[in-house]
Amino acid sequence: MKIELPLENGTTYTWILASPQELLRKLIAVSPALKSVLRSVGVDNSYSNPLSIVHYNDGITSGNLLAPVHSRSFTAFRFTFKEFGKWLLTCQQWWFEFAILRNSVLGKVVGGMAYVWKTLMHIFFTSTESFRTVGLHIDDLGDGPTCLFCQNKNLIADKEATEDSWDFKGSSGIVCCIKCKNCLKKNVLTGTDYPMPNPHGELKDVTYPTLDAFVPNTNEAIFKNVDELQRLSHLHQAKAITKENFELAEKSCGINHNPHGPLQDKELRPHCQPMDMHTEDWGHIYLANGVGDDELGLCLSRMKAIDVKYDQISEELKLWKFPKHYSGGKGVWRLFSNKRKKANGDGWKRGMSEIMTLSPIFLDWISKKFERSLPGEVESFRRLCAVIDYIQDLKHGRASDAGRLHALIEAHLHQHKLVYGNAHWTPKWHSTLHLSGQVDRDGVVFDTVSNERDHQIPKSFGDIITNLDVFDEYVLT
């Protein structure tokens, strides 16, 4: 199918993508496995008992970390069904890629990523073949013609992609967590730029380590703020209020005013409920420039203070032997080479898989060597590993108690604050407090791991194509 995307220069861009309805029908026709699974999960499917669609989108950088090729970088759009269950959702084959859009084009679209996301949601839920109101007509799901009804359930993405899709301000807003009404950007309560009265202590800094202190946001409150920003924008255009005051209003509710985004589209509101769909990705929170990186970097700085060298850690890792079938551990000692030391600086900058591989090994080593000299640091790292291990247990069905996850998260936050303080905490640290609630809400642990693993396939096609005019279609097909 083709969509004309409006560009800032007044022209349009013809975007070629796959209709999600047609794509699903085609996959069902050629895949007995998909047909069988959908027949199983759709036994009692009806308008009042729909399946749950889970969306994923993320930017993919072509080239490599040292030499990125921005002209070939792109955003991928995929979807799946929550009812596929824990095991299938960890397999990238069960996430269906239906669109690719080059970032160089996306950056020129009027309304940006939010407009693109809104357009896609209309295809899913308000088109002539709406998954929700009309249902997906399938010629044969094993028992003759059938119709699958589906609702909009989740958007799983990293923070940047989520904020761009919904027009949330994130860390640039005074209210920096869209899930909380009273979570304020670090130092706002004590700063002088925008004095914030807080006589009863109801407003909380984002670094506060306990969830009970925060007031949950609601869909109704978000839409009310969006409508108020729309009203204020008219006043701003009429010069009744200043630009500074209008921007302050945006920051105060944590939302960017975007007349082209999904939150402004009242037709979509029944299908796109931001609080119900907002899904934090634990992988990016803990393993990708997040909590785990901070924890490890600070622990290394304390070890450096007692004259522990990188090469000591490297030599220790060389002694470890891994099962023959496990390739992830090979060369793990190189994470502490002199080259990596320079790249890390005073912190730690690595990817998800490296943190996952390294954490238990590093914990074992420091528990044996530094329990006496660095007891608080060792305990903080131990509690971090306990959180990561339990999330993995929840994800793979070895555990089911979301309350236990929350207790582990708060225990880690309190121990880390005791040892290192919380001046370095970013909104990612606050986001950890919302993970257990998501597990309670969804019944499964959603993350981007399987999709991130799949990036190499479309990326390999994007790296070799010479005609960028057909980039989206070529990489997708």
Side-chain angles (χ1 to χ4, degrees), residues 373-477:
S373 56
L374 298 171
E377 290 81 352
V378 172
E379 179 60 21
S380 185
F381 199 86
R382 182 179 291 120
R383 293 188 184 188
L384 167 74
C385 291
V387 171
I388 295 174
D389 287 346
Y390 198 75
I391 290 174
Q392 291 286 86
D393 288 342
L394 287 169
K395 178 178 176 179
H396 296 291
R398 297 187 293 267
S400 59
D401 186 358
R404 171 65 176 159
L405 172 62
H406 189 72
L408 290 171
I409 288 171
E410 289 203 343
H412 170 241
L413 293 180
H414 284 283
Q415 177 65 19
H416 183 96
K417 183 180 178 182
L418 180 67
V419 177
Y420 301 108
N422 62 0
H424 57 281
W425 285 10
T426 64
K428 279 191 176 183
W429 284 80
H430 172 79
S431 294
T432 63
L433 295 171
H434 293 296
L435 292 176
S436 61
Q438 288 181 182
V439 178
D440 264 338
R441 179 192 71 187
D442 300 327
V444 297
V445 176
F446 289 117
D447 61 31
T448 63
V449 174
S450 60
N451 282 293
E452 298 261 347
R453 193 166 55 231
D454 195 43
H455 282 355
Q456 296 304 319
I457 298 174
K459 182 178 170 181
S460 64
F461 287 94
D463 285 342
I464 62 173
I465 183 173
T466 56
N467 184 2
L468 297 184
D469 290 339
V470 295
F471 183 94
D472 305 331
E473 183 180 9
Y474 179 81
V475 174
L476 180 62
T477 56

Side-chain angles (χ1 to χ4, degrees), residues 250-261:
E250 289 182 300
K251 291 178 181 178
S252 297
C253 60
I255 299 171
N256 289 310
H257 171 65
N258 181 1
H260 308 285

Side-chain angles (χ1 to χ4, degrees), residues 117-155:
W117 173 243
K118 179 188 77 171
T119 302
L120 295 177
M121 291 304 94
H122 274 295
I123 294 172
F124 272 90
F125 299 107
T126 68
S127 64
T128 55
E129 199 171 19
S130 161
F131 276 101
R132 186 68 191 98
T133 57
V134 179
L136 176 67
H137 293 270
I138 302 169
D139 289 339
D140 183 16
L141 204 54
D143 300 310
T146 190
C147 188
L148 282 180
F149 289 94
C150 310
Q151 63 181 337
N152 218 2
K153 190 62 178 177
N154 299 81
L155 169 62

Side-chain angles (χ1 to χ4, degrees), residues 268-426:
L268 274 181
R269 288 184 179 180
H271 307 291
C272 294
Q273 302 274 304
M275 285 301 90
D276 299 340
M277 293 182 63
H278 190 283
T279 308
E280 303 278 9
D281 174 36
W282 78 268
H284 279 87
I285 290 172
Y286 276 101
L287 307 176
N289 298 320
V291 173
D293 302 84
D294 289 346
E295 182 78 43
L296 183 54
L298 288 166
C299 187
L300 289 172
S301 68
R302 293 290 175 89
M303 294 169 68
K304 181 181 179 182
I306 59 173
D307 207 31
V308 177
K309 308 294 185 185
Y310 253 52
D311 56 0
Q312 290 177 250
I313 308 174
S314 180
E315 290 303 315
E316 170 66 23
L317 293 176
K318 286 180 181 179
L319 300 176
W320 278 72
K321 298 185 183 299
F322 296 88
K324 290 183 178 180
H325 69 272
Y326 180 64
S327 60
K330 296 177 182 178
V332 69
W333 60 270
R334 293 190 178 90
L335 296 178
F336 291 94
S337 64
N338 286 328
K339 184 177 180 180
R340 287 296 182 101
K341 180 181 178 181
K342 293 178 181 178
N344 285 338
D346 294 329
W348 179 265
K349 300 172 184 176
R350 295 278 76 85
M352 288 188 191
S353 60
E354 292 177 333
I355 285 281
M356 290 285 285
T357 300
L358 179 63
S359 294
I361 304 172
F362 188 77
L363 175 62
D364 180 80
W365 183 57
I366 62 175
S367 297
K368 293 175 180 176
K369 300 288 186 180
F370 304 101
E371 192 76 66
R372 291 186 178 181
S373 56
L374 298 171
E377 290 81 352
V378 172
E379 179 60 21
S380 185
F381 199 86
R382 182 179 291 120
R383 293 188 184 188
L384 167 74
C385 291
V387 171
I388 295 174
D389 287 346
Y390 198 75
I391 290 174
Q392 291 286 86
D393 288 342
L394 287 169
K395 178 178 176 179
H396 296 291
R398 297 187 293 267
S400 59
D401 186 358
R404 171 65 176 159
L405 172 62
H406 189 72
L408 290 171
I409 288 171
E410 289 203 343
H412 170 241
L413 293 180
H414 284 283
Q415 177 65 19
H416 183 96
K417 183 180 178 182
L418 180 67
V419 177
Y420 301 108
N422 62 0
H424 57 281
W425 285 10
T426 64

Side-chain angles (χ1 to χ4, degrees), residues 22-177:
E22 287 297 332
L23 174 63
L24 195 57
R25 266 195 288 266
K26 181 176 181 179
L27 292 174
I28 290 170
V30 299
S31 172
L34 177 59
K35 179 184 290 188
S36 175
V37 170
L38 277 175
R39 182 170 65 248
S40 176
V41 301
V43 168
D44 298 320
N45 178 260
S46 65
Y47 178 84
S48 58
N49 186 34
L51 297 181
S52 300
I53 292 178
V54 181
H55 300 274
Y56 166 85
N57 62 58
D58 194 18
I60 300 174
T61 302
S62 291
N64 57 61
L65 290 174
L66 298 178
V69 183
H70 296 295
S71 63
R72 296 174 180 271
S73 296
F74 56 92
T75 296
F77 299 86
R78 300 167 186 159
F79 74 99
T80 188
F81 297 94
K82 188 187 82 168
E83 289 77 10
F84 284 167
K86 295 180 175 71
W87 300 107
L88 293 183
L89 290 174
T90 64
C91 304
Q92 59 263 42
Q93 296 90 339
W94 292 84
W95 292 79
F96 312 124
E97 190 166 75
F98 67 97
I100 293 288
L101 182 60
R102 261 194 307 149
N103 290 344
S104 57
V105 175
L106 179 56
K108 299 174 184 177
V109 174
V110 175
M113 177 64 182
Y115 175 84
V116 173
W117 173 243
K118 179 188 77 171
T119 302
L120 295 177
M121 291 304 94
H122 274 295
I123 294 172
F124 272 90
F125 299 107
T126 68
S127 64
T128 55
E129 199 171 19
S130 161
F131 276 101
R132 186 68 191 98
T133 57
V134 179
L136 176 67
H137 293 270
I138 302 169
D139 289 339
D140 183 16
L141 204 54
D143 300 310
T146 190
C147 188
L148 282 180
F149 289 94
C150 310
Q151 63 181 337
N152 218 2
K153 190 62 178 177
N154 299 81
L155 169 62
I156 177 69
D158 63 21
K159 275 191 172 296
E160 181 180 2
T162 298
E163 290 164 5
D164 288 346
S165 297
W166 289 110
D167 287 314
F168 297 153
K169 274 194 171 295
S171 58
S172 64
I174 293 175
V175 173
C176 59
C177 174

Side-chain angles (χ1 to χ4, degrees), residues 196-225:
M196 190 75 65
N198 192 28
H200 304 295
E202 295 173 345
L203 302 176
K204 296 296 180 182
D205 190 276
V206 68
T207 59
Y208 199 84
T210 305
L211 184 62
D212 291 343
F214 295 99
V215 178
N217 208 346
T218 63
N219 293 310
E220 292 75 19
I222 288 177
F223 290 135
K224 183 178 180 180
N225 283 337

